[in-house]
Coordinates of all heavy atoms in Angstrom, one line a residue:
N650 N 33.3 22.2 -38.3 CA 33.4 23.6 -38.0 C 32.3 24.4 -38.7 O 32.1 24.2 -39.9 CB 34.8 24.1 -38.4 CG 35.8 23.8 -37.4 OD1 35.6 23.7 -36.2 ND2 37.1 23.7 -37.8
M651 N 31.6 25.2 -37.9 CA 30.6 26.1 -38.5 C 31.1 27.5 -38.4 O 31.4 28.0 -37.4 CB 29.3 25.9 -37.6 CG 28.7 24.5 -37.6 SD 27.6 24.2 -36.3 CE 28.7 24.0 -34.9
V652 N 31.2 28.0 -39.6 CA 31.9 29.4 -39.8 C 30.8 30.3 -40.3 O 30.3 30.1 -41.4 CB 33.1 29.3 -40.7 CG1 33.8 30.6 -40.8 CG2 34.1 28.2 -40.3
E653 N 30.6 31.4 -39.5 CA 29.7 32.4 -40.0 C 30.4 33.7 -40.3 O 31.3 34.1 -39.5 CB 28.6 32.7 -38.9 CG 27.5 33.7 -39.4 CD 26.5 34.1 -38.4 OE1 26.5 33.6 -37.3 OE2 25.7 35.0 -38.7
F654 N 29.9 34.4 -41.4 CA 30.3 35.7 -41.7 C 29.1 36.6 -41.6 O 28.0 36.3 -42.1 CB 30.9 35.8 -43.1 CG 32.1 35.0 -43.3 CD1 32.1 33.8 -43.8 CD2 33.4 35.5 -42.9 CE1 33.2 33.0 -44.0 CE2 34.5 34.8 -43.1 CZ 34.5 33.5 -43.7
A655 N 29.2 37.7 -40.9 CA 28.0 38.6 -40.7 C 28.5 40.0 -40.8 O 29.6 40.4 -40.4 CB 27.4 38.4 -39.3
G656 N 27.7 40.9 -41.5 CA 28.0 42.3 -41.7 C 27.3 42.8 -42.9 O 26.2 42.4 -43.3
E657 N 28.0 43.8 -43.6 CA 27.4 44.3 -44.8 C 27.6 43.3 -46.0 O 28.6 42.6 -46.0 CB 28.1 45.6 -45.2 CG 27.9 46.7 -44.1 CD 26.4 47.1 -44.0 OE1 25.7 47.1 -45.1 OE2 25.9 47.2 -42.9
K658 N 26.7 43.3 -46.9 CA 26.7 42.3 -48.0 C 28.0 42.2 -48.7 O 28.6 41.1 -48.9 CB 25.6 42.5 -48.9 CG 25.3 41.4 -49.9 CD 24.0 41.7 -50.7 CE 23.6 40.4 -51.5 NZ 24.5 40.1 -52.6
A659 N 28.5 43.3 -49.2 CA 29.8 43.2 -50.0 C 30.9 42.7 -49.2 O 31.7 41.9 -49.7 CB 30.1 44.6 -50.5
D660 N 31.1 43.1 -47.9 CA 32.2 42.7 -47.1 C 32.0 41.2 -46.8 O 33.0 40.4 -46.9 CB 32.2 43.5 -45.8 CG 33.2 43.0 -44.8 OD1 34.4 42.9 -45.2 OD2 32.8 42.6 -43.7
V661 N 30.8 40.7 -46.5 CA 30.6 39.3 -46.2 C 30.9 38.4 -47.4 O 31.6 37.4 -47.3 CB 29.1 39.1 -45.7 CG1 28.8 37.6 -45.7 CG2 28.9 39.7 -44.3
E662 N 30.5 38.9 -48.6 CA 30.7 38.1 -49.8 C 32.2 38.0 -50.1 O 32.7 37.0 -50.5 CB 29.9 38.6 -50.9 CG 28.4 38.4 -50.8 CD 27.7 39.1 -52.0 OE1 28.2 39.9 -52.6 OE2 26.5 38.7 -52.2
A663 N 32.9 39.1 -49.9 CA 34.4 39.1 -50.1 C 35.1 38.2 -49.2 O 36.0 37.4 -49.6 CB 34.9 40.5 -50.0
R664 N 34.8 38.2 -47.9 CA 35.4 37.3 -46.9 C 35.1 35.8 -47.2 O 35.9 35.0 -47.1 CB 35.0 37.6 -45.5 CG 35.6 38.9 -45.0 CD 35.3 39.1 -43.5 NE 33.9 39.7 -43.3 CZ 33.2 39.6 -42.2 NH1 33.8 38.9 -41.2 NH2 32.0 40.1 -42.1
L665 N 33.8 35.6 -47.6 CA 33.4 34.2 -48.0 C 34.2 33.7 -49.2 O 34.6 32.5 -49.2 CB 31.9 34.2 -48.2 CG 31.3 32.8 -48.6 CD1 31.5 31.8 -47.5 CD2 29.9 32.9 -49.0
T666 N 34.3 34.5 -50.2 CA 35.0 34.1 -51.4 C 36.5 33.7 -51.1 O 37.0 32.7 -51.6 CB 35.0 35.3 -52.4 OG1 33.7 35.6 -52.8 CG2 35.8 34.9 -53.7
L667 N 37.1 34.5 -50.2 CA 38.5 34.2 -49.9 C 38.6 32.8 -49.2 O 39.4 32.0 -49.4 CB 39.1 35.3 -49.0 CG 39.4 36.6 -49.7 CD1 39.8 37.6 -48.6 CD2 40.5 36.4 -50.7
L668 N 37.6 32.6 -48.2 CA 37.6 31.3 -47.5 C 37.3 30.1 -48.5 O 37.9 29.1 -48.4 CB 36.5 31.3 -46.4 CG 36.4 30.0 -45.6 CD1 37.7 29.7 -44.9 CD2 35.2 30.1 -44.6
E669 N 36.3 30.3 -49.4 CA 36.0 29.2 -50.3 C 37.2 28.9 -51.2 O 37.5 27.7 -51.5 CB 34.8 29.7 -51.2 CG 33.5 29.6 -50.5 CD 32.3 29.7 -51.4 OE1 32.0 30.9 -51.8 OE2 31.7 28.7 -51.8
T670 N 37.9 29.9 -51.6 CA 39.1 29.7 -52.4 C 40.1 28.9 -51.7 O 40.7 27.9 -52.2 CB 39.7 31.1 -52.8 OG1 38.8 31.8 -53.6 CG2 41.0 30.9 -53.7
M671 N 40.3 29.2 -50.4 CA 41.3 28.5 -49.6 C 40.8 27.0 -49.4 O 41.6 26.1 -49.5 CB 41.4 29.1 -48.2 CG 42.4 28.4 -47.3 SD 42.4 29.1 -45.6 CE 40.9 28.4 -44.9
L672 N 39.5 26.8 -49.1 CA 39.0 25.5 -48.8 C 39.1 24.6 -50.0 O 39.4 23.4 -50.0 CB 37.6 25.6 -48.3 CG 37.3 26.2 -46.9 CD1 35.8 26.3 -46.6 CD2 38.0 25.4 -45.8
T673 N 38.7 25.2 -51.2 CA 38.8 24.4 -52.4 C 40.2 24.0 -52.7 O 40.4 22.8 -53.1 CB 38.2 25.3 -53.6 OG1 36.9 25.7 -53.3 CG2 38.2 24.5 -54.9
K674 N 41.1 24.8 -52.5 CA 42.5 24.5 -52.8 C 43.0 23.4 -51.8 O 43.6 22.4 -52.2 CB 43.4 25.7 -52.6 CG 44.9 25.5 -52.8 CD 45.7 26.7 -52.6 CE 47.2 26.5 -52.7 NZ 48.0 27.7 -52.4
Q675 N 42.6 23.5 -50.5 CA 43.0 22.5 -49.5 C 42.4 21.2 -49.8 O 43.0 20.1 -49.6 CB 42.7 23.0 -48.1 CG 43.6 24.2 -47.7 CD 43.2 24.7 -46.3 OE1 42.0 24.7 -46.0 NE2 44.2 25.2 -45.6
L676 N 41.1 21.2 -50.3 CA 40.4 20.0 -50.6 C 41.1 19.2 -51.8 O 41.3 18.0 -51.7 CB 39.0 20.3 -51.0 CG 37.9 20.2 -49.9 CD1 36.6 20.7 -50.4 CD2 37.8 18.8 -49.4
K677 N 41.5 20.0 -52.8 CA 42.1 19.4 -54.0 C 43.5 18.8 -53.6 O 43.9 17.7 -54.1 CB 42.3 20.4 -55.0 CG 41.1 20.8 -55.8 CD 41.4 21.8 -56.9 CE 40.1 22.2 -57.6 NZ 40.3 23.2 -58.7
Q678 N 44.1 19.4 -52.6 CA 45.5 18.9 -52.2 C 45.4 17.9 -51.1 O 46.5 17.5 -50.6 CB 46.4 20.1 -51.9 CG 46.6 21.1 -53.1 CD 47.4 22.3 -52.7 OE1 47.7 22.5 -51.5 NE2 47.8 23.1 -53.7
G679 N 44.2 17.6 -50.6 CA 44.0 16.7 -49.5 C 44.6 17.1 -48.2 O 45.2 16.3 -47.4
E680 N 44.5 18.4 -48.0 CA 45.1 19.0 -46.8 C 44.1 19.2 -45.6 O 42.9 19.3 -45.9 CB 45.8 20.4 -47.1 CG 46.9 20.3 -48.1 CD 47.4 21.7 -48.5 OE1 46.8 22.7 -48.1 OE2 48.5 21.7 -49.2
A681 N 44.6 19.4 -44.4 CA 43.8 19.8 -43.2 C 42.7 18.8 -42.9 O 41.9 19.2 -42.0 CB 43.2 21.2 -43.5
G682 N 42.7 17.6 -43.4 CA 41.7 16.6 -43.1 C 40.3 17.0 -43.6 O 39.3 16.5 -43.1
L683 N 40.3 17.9 -44.6 CA 39.0 18.3 -45.1 C 38.3 17.3 -45.9 O 38.9 16.5 -46.7 CB 39.2 19.6 -46.0 CG 39.5 20.9 -45.4 CD1 39.8 21.9 -46.4 CD2 38.3 21.4 -44.5
L684 N 37.0 17.1 -45.7 CA 36.2 16.2 -46.5 C 35.2 16.9 -47.4 O 34.7 16.3 -48.4 CB 35.4 15.3 -45.5 CG 36.2 14.4 -44.6 CD1 35.2 13.6 -43.7 CD2 37.1 13.5 -45.4
G685 N 34.9 18.2 -47.1 CA 34.0 18.9 -47.9 C 33.4 20.1 -47.1 O 33.7 20.2 -45.9
Y686 N 32.6 20.9 -47.8 CA 31.9 22.0 -47.1 C 30.7 22.4 -47.9 O 30.5 22.1 -49.0 CB 32.9 23.2 -47.0 CG 33.3 23.9 -48.3 CD1 32.5 25.0 -48.8 CD2 34.4 23.5 -49.0 CE1 32.9 25.6 -49.9 CE2 34.7 24.1 -50.2 CZ 34.0 25.2 -50.6 OH 34.3 25.8 -51.8
Q687 N 29.8 23.0 -47.1 CA 28.5 23.5 -47.7 C 28.3 25.0 -47.2 O 28.6 25.3 -46.1 CB 27.3 22.7 -47.3 CG 27.3 21.3 -47.9 CD 26.2 20.5 -47.3 OE1 26.4 19.6 -46.5 NE2 24.9 20.7 -47.7
V688 N 27.7 25.8 -48.1 CA 27.5 27.2 -47.8 C 26.0 27.4 -47.8 O 25.3 26.9 -48.7 CB 28.2 28.1 -48.9 CG1 27.9 29.6 -48.5 CG2 29.7 27.9 -48.9
T689 N 25.5 28.2 -46.9 CA 24.1 28.7 -46.9 C 24.0 30.1 -46.5 O 24.8 30.6 -45.7 CB 23.3 27.8 -46.0 OG1 21.9 28.3 -46.0 CG2 23.7 28.0 -44.5
S690 N 23.1 30.8 -47.2 CA 22.9 32.2 -46.9 C 21.5 32.4 -46.4 O 21.1 33.6 -46.1 CB 23.1 33.1 -48.1 OG 22.2 32.7 -49.2
D691 N 20.7 31.3 -46.2 CA 19.4 31.4 -45.7 C 19.4 31.6 -44.2 O 19.9 30.8 -43.5 CB 18.6 30.1 -46.1 CG 17.2 30.1 -45.6 OD1 16.4 30.9 -46.0 OD2 16.9 29.3 -44.7
R692 N 18.7 32.7 -43.8 CA 18.8 33.0 -42.3 C 18.1 31.9 -41.5 O 18.6 31.6 -40.4 CB 18.1 34.3 -42.1 CG 19.0 35.5 -42.5 CD 18.3 36.8 -42.2 NE 19.2 38.0 -42.6 CZ 19.8 38.8 -41.8 NH1 19.7 38.6 -40.5 NH2 20.5 39.7 -42.2
N693 N 17.0 31.4 -41.9 CA 16.4 30.3 -41.2 C 17.3 29.1 -41.1 O 17.4 28.4 -40.0 CB 15.1 29.9 -41.8 CG 14.0 31.0 -41.6 OD1 14.0 31.7 -40.7 ND2 13.0 31.0 -42.6
S694 N 18.0 28.8 -42.1 CA 18.9 27.6 -42.1 C 20.1 27.9 -41.1 O 20.5 27.0 -40.4 CB 19.5 27.3 -43.5 OG 18.4 26.9 -44.4
I695 N 20.6 29.1 -41.1 CA 21.7 29.4 -40.2 C 21.2 29.3 -38.8 O 21.9 28.8 -37.9 CB 22.2 30.9 -40.5 CG1 22.9 30.9 -41.9 CG2 23.2 31.3 -39.4 CD1 23.2 32.3 -42.4
N696 N 20.0 29.9 -38.5 CA 19.5 29.8 -37.2 C 19.2 28.3 -36.7 O 19.4 28.0 -35.6 CB 18.1 30.6 -37.1 CG 18.4 32.1 -37.2 OD1 19.5 32.6 -36.9 ND2 17.4 32.8 -37.6
T697 N 18.8 27.5 -37.7 CA 18.6 26.1 -37.4 C 19.9 25.4 -37.0 O 19.9 24.5 -36.1 CB 17.9 25.4 -38.5 OG1 16.7 26.0 -38.9 CG2 17.6 23.9 -38.2
I698 N 21.0 25.7 -37.7 CA 22.3 25.1 -37.4 C 22.7 25.5 -36.0 O 23.2 24.7 -35.2 CB 23.3 25.6 -38.4 CG1 23.1 24.9 -39.8 CG2 24.8 25.3 -37.9 CD1 23.5 23.5 -39.8
Y699 N 22.5 26.8 -35.7 CA 22.8 27.2 -34.3 C 21.9 26.5 -33.3 O 22.4 26.3 -32.2 CB 22.7 28.8 -34.2 CG 23.9 29.5 -34.7 CD1 23.8 30.5 -35.6 CD2 25.2 29.2 -34.3 CE1 24.9 31.2 -36.1 CE2 26.3 29.8 -34.7 CZ 26.2 30.9 -35.6 OH 27.3 31.5 -36.1
A700 N 20.7 26.3 -33.6 CA 19.8 25.6 -32.7 C 20.3 24.2 -32.4 O 20.3 23.7 -31.3 CB 18.4 25.5 -33.3
M701 N 20.9 23.5 -33.4 CA 21.5 22.2 -33.2 C 22.7 22.4 -32.3 O 22.9 21.6 -31.4 CB 21.9 21.6 -34.5 CG 22.5 20.2 -34.3 SD 23.5 19.7 -35.7 CE 25.0 20.6 -35.5
R702 N 23.5 23.3 -32.6 CA 24.7 23.5 -31.8 C 24.3 23.9 -30.3 O 24.9 23.4 -29.4 CB 25.6 24.7 -32.4 CG 26.5 25.4 -31.5 CD 27.6 24.6 -30.9 NE 28.3 25.3 -29.9 CZ 28.0 25.5 -28.7 NH1 26.9 24.9 -28.2 NH2 28.7 26.2 -27.8
K703 N 23.3 24.7 -30.2 CA 22.9 25.1 -28.8 C 22.3 23.9 -28.1 O 22.3 23.8 -26.8 CB 21.8 26.2 -28.9 CG 22.4 27.6 -29.2 CD 21.4 28.7 -29.2 CE 22.0 30.0 -29.4 NZ 21.0 31.1 -29.3
K704 N 21.8 22.9 -28.8 CA 21.2 21.8 -28.2 C 22.2 20.7 -27.8 O 21.9 19.7 -27.2 CB 20.1 21.2 -29.1 CG 19.0 20.5 -28.4 CD 17.9 20.1 -29.4 CE 16.7 19.6 -28.6 NZ 15.6 19.1 -29.5
A705 N 23.5 21.0 -28.2 CA 24.5 20.0 -28.0 C 24.7 19.6 -26.5 O 24.8 18.4 -26.2 CB 25.9 20.5 -28.5
V706 N 24.5 20.6 -25.6 CA 24.6 20.3 -24.2 C 23.6 19.2 -23.8 O 23.9 18.2 -23.2 CB 24.4 21.5 -23.3 CG1 24.4 21.2 -21.9 CG2 25.6 22.5 -23.6
G707 N 22.4 19.5 -24.2 CA 21.3 18.5 -23.8 C 21.4 17.2 -24.5 O 21.1 16.2 -24.0
L708 N 21.9 17.3 -25.8 CA 22.0 16.0 -26.6 C 23.0 15.1 -25.9 O 22.8 13.9 -25.9 CB 22.5 16.3 -28.0 CG 21.5 17.1 -28.9 CD1 22.2 17.5 -30.2 CD2 20.3 16.2 -29.2
L709 N 24.1 15.6 -25.3 CA 25.0 14.7 -24.7 C 24.4 14.0 -23.5 O 24.7 12.9 -23.1 CB 26.2 15.6 -24.2 CG 27.2 15.9 -25.3 CD1 28.2 16.9 -24.8 CD2 27.9 14.7 -25.9
G710 N 23.4 14.7 -22.8 CA 22.7 14.1 -21.7 C 21.9 12.9 -22.1 O 21.5 12.1 -21.3
A711 N 21.6 12.8 -23.4 CA 20.8 11.7 -23.9 C 21.7 10.4 -24.2 O 21.1 9.5 -24.7 CB 20.1 12.1 -25.2
A712 N 23.0 10.5 -23.9 CA 23.8 9.3 -24.2 C 23.3 8.1 -23.4 O 22.8 8.3 -22.3 CB 25.2 9.7 -23.8
K713 N 23.4 7.0 -24.0 CA 22.9 5.7 -23.4 C 23.8 5.3 -22.2 O 25.0 5.6 -22.2 CB 22.8 4.6 -24.4 CG 22.1 4.9 -25.6 CD 20.6 5.3 -25.4 CE 19.9 5.6 -26.7 NZ 18.5 6.1 -26.4
G714 N 23.2 4.6 -21.3 CA 24.0 4.1 -20.1 C 23.9 4.9 -18.9 O 23.3 6.0 -18.9
A715 N 24.4 4.3 -17.8 CA 24.3 5.0 -16.5 C 25.2 6.2 -16.4 O 24.9 7.2 -15.8 CB 24.6 4.1 -15.4
R716 N 26.3 6.1 -17.1 CA 27.3 7.3 -17.2 C 26.8 8.3 -18.2 O 26.6 8.0 -19.3 CB 28.7 6.8 -17.5 CG 29.5 6.2 -16.4 CD 30.9 5.8 -16.8 NE 31.7 5.6 -15.6 CZ 33.0 5.4 -15.7 NH1 33.6 5.2 -16.9 NH2 33.8 5.2 -14.6
K717 N 26.6 9.5 -17.7 CA 26.2 10.6 -18.6 C 27.2 11.7 -18.6 O 27.9 12.0 -17.6 CB 24.9 11.2 -18.0 CG 23.7 10.2 -17.8 CD 23.2 9.7 -19.1 CE 22.0 8.8 -18.9 NZ 21.5 8.2 -20.2
P718 N 27.4 12.3 -19.8 CA 28.3 13.5 -19.9 C 27.9 14.6 -18.9 O 26.7 15.0 -19.0 CB 28.2 13.9 -21.3 CG 27.8 12.7 -22.1 CD 26.9 11.9 -21.1
L719 N 28.8 15.0 -18.1 CA 28.5 16.0 -17.0 C 29.3 17.3 -17.1 O 30.4 17.3 -17.6 CB 28.8 15.4 -15.6 CG 28.0 14.1 -15.3 CD1 28.5 13.6 -13.9 CD2 26.5 14.2 -15.3
A720 N 28.6 18.3 -16.6 CA 29.3 19.7 -16.6 C 30.0 19.8 -15.3 O 29.4 19.8 -14.2 CB 28.3 20.8 -16.8
F721 N 31.3 19.9 -15.3 CA 32.1 20.2 -14.1 C 33.5 20.8 -14.5 O 34.1 21.5 -13.8 CB 32.3 19.1 -13.2 CG 33.0 17.9 -13.7 CD1 34.4 17.7 -13.5 CD2 32.3 16.9 -14.4 CE1 35.1 16.6 -14.0 CE2 33.0 15.8 -14.9 CZ 34.4 15.7 -14.7
A722 N 33.9 20.4 -15.7 CA 35.2 21.0 -16.2 C 35.0 21.3 -17.7 O 35.8 21.1 -18.5 CB 36.3 20.0 -16.1
E723 N 33.8 21.9 -18.0 CA 33.3 22.0 -19.3 C 33.6 23.3 -20.0 O 33.3 23.5 -21.2 CB 31.9 21.7 -19.4 CG 30.9 22.8 -19.2 CD 31.0 23.4 -17.8 OE1 31.5 22.8 -16.9 OE2 30.5 24.5 -17.6
D724 N 34.2 24.3 -19.3 CA 34.4 25.6 -20.0 C 35.8 26.1 -19.9 O 36.1 27.3 -19.6 CB 33.4 26.6 -19.4 CG 33.5 26.8 -17.9 OD1 34.0 25.9 -17.2 OD2 33.2 27.9 -17.4
T725 N 36.7 25.2 -20.1 CA 38.2 25.6 -20.0 C 38.5 26.6 -21.2 O 37.9 26.5 -22.3 CB 39.1 24.4 -20.2 OG1 38.7 23.7 -21.4 CG2 38.9 23.4 -19.0
A726 N 39.4 27.5 -20.9 CA 39.8 28.5 -21.9 C 41.3 28.5 -21.9 O 42.0 28.6 -20.9 CB 39.2 29.9 -21.6
V727 N 41.9 28.5 -23.1 CA 43.3 28.6 -23.3 C 43.5 29.5 -24.5 O 42.6 29.7 -25.3 CB 44.0 27.3 -23.5 CG1 43.9 26.3 -22.3 CG2 43.6 26.6 -24.8
P728 N 44.7 30.1 -24.7 CA 45.0 30.9 -25.9 C 44.6 30.0 -27.1 O 45.0 28.9 -27.2 CB 46.5 31.2 -25.8 CG 46.8 31.2 -24.3 CD 45.9 30.1 -23.7
P729 N 43.9 30.6 -28.1 CA 43.4 29.8 -29.2 C 44.5 29.1 -30.0 O 44.3 27.9 -30.4 CB 42.8 30.9 -30.1 CG 42.4 32.0 -29.2 CD 43.4 32.0 -28.1
E730 N 45.7 29.7 -30.0 CA 46.8 29.0 -30.8 C 47.3 27.7 -30.0 O 48.0 26.9 -30.6 CB 48.0 30.0 -31.0 CG 48.7 30.4 -29.7 CD 48.0 31.6 -29.1 OE1 46.9 32.0 -29.5 OE2 48.6 32.2 -28.2
K731 N 46.9 27.6 -28.8 CA 47.4 26.4 -28.0 C 46.2 25.4 -27.8 O 46.4 24.3 -27.2 CB 47.8 26.8 -26.6 CG 49.0 27.8 -26.6 CD 49.4 28.1 -25.1 CE 50.6 29.0 -25.1 NZ 51.0 29.4 -23.7
L732 N 45.1 25.7 -28.4 CA 43.9 24.9 -28.1 C 44.1 23.4 -28.6 O 43.7 22.5 -27.9 CB 42.6 25.5 -28.8 CG 41.3 24.8 -28.6 CD1 41.0 24.7 -27.1 CD2 40.2 25.4 -29.3
A733 N 44.5 23.2 -29.8 CA 44.6 21.9 -30.3 C 45.5 21.0 -29.5 O 45.2 19.9 -29.1 CB 45.1 21.9 -31.8
D734 N 46.7 21.5 -29.1 CA 47.6 20.8 -28.2 C 47.0 20.5 -26.9 O 47.1 19.4 -26.3 CB 48.9 21.5 -28.1 CG 49.7 21.5 -29.4 OD1 49.6 20.6 -30.2 OD2 50.5 22.5 -29.6
F735 N 46.3 21.5 -26.3 CA 45.7 21.4 -25.1 C 44.6 20.3 -25.1 O 44.5 19.5 -24.2 CB 45.0 22.7 -24.7 CG 44.1 22.7 -23.5 CD1 44.5 22.5 -22.2 CD2 42.7 22.7 -23.7 CE1 43.7 22.5 -21.1 CE2 41.8 22.6 -22.6 CZ 42.3 22.5 -21.3
I736 N 43.8 20.3 -26.2 CA 42.7 19.3 -26.2 C 43.3 17.9 -26.4 O 42.8 16.9 -25.9 CB 41.8 19.6 -27.4 CG1 41.0 20.9 -27.0 CG2 40.9 18.5 -27.7 CD1 40.1 20.7 -25.8
I737 N 44.4 17.8 -27.2 CA 45.0 16.5 -27.3 C 45.4 15.9 -25.9 O 45.2 14.8 -25.6 CB 46.3 16.5 -28.2 CG1 45.9 17.0 -29.6 CG2 47.0 15.2 -28.2 CD1 44.9 16.1 -30.3
E738 N 46.0 16.8 -25.1 CA 46.4 16.4 -23.7 C 45.2 16.2 -22.8 O 45.2 15.2 -22.0 CB 47.4 17.4 -23.1 CG 48.1 16.9 -21.9 CD 49.3 17.8 -21.5 OE1 49.8 18.6 -22.4 OE2 49.8 17.6 -20.4
F739 N 44.2 17.0 -23.0 CA 42.9 16.8 -22.3 C 42.3 15.5 -22.6 O 41.9 14.7 -21.7 CB 42.0 18.0 -22.7 CG 40.9 18.2 -21.7 CD1 40.2 19.4 -21.6 CD2 40.4 17.2 -20.8 CE1 39.1 19.6 -20.8 CE2 39.4 17.4 -19.9 CZ 38.7 18.6 -19.9

Side-chain angles (χ1 to χ4, degrees):
N650 276 331
M651 297 161 284
V652 183
E653 184 189 351
F654 296 97
E657 296 300 317
K658 191 171 188 293
D660 176 57
V661 167
E662 289 177 344
R664 286 186 283 157
L665 177 64
T666 299
L667 288 174
L668 178 62
E669 284 191 280
T670 301
M671 180 188 78
L672 293 176
T673 302
K674 179 181 177 182
Q675 291 176 329
L676 267 172
K677 285 182 179 178
Q678 296 177 354
E680 297 175 353
L683 286 173
L684 299 180
Y686 67 91
Q687 290 175 254
V688 180
T689 181
S690 59
D691 178 66
R692 285 181 179 251
N693 287 334
S694 296
I695 293 171
N696 290 337
T697 303
I698 287 287
Y699 278 130
M701 182 202 74
R702 157 62 187 86
K703 288 184 174 185
K704 214 172 181 183
V706 173
L708 290 173
L709 284 171
K713 306 299 182 187
R716 280 184 161 182
K717 304 290 185 184
L719 302 178
F721 63 94
E723 85 296 343
D724 59 333
T725 56
V727 298
E730 65 275 11
K731 298 180 181 180
L732 181 62
D734 290 332
F735 168 75
I736 290 299
I737 297 304
E738 195 164 344
F739 198 159

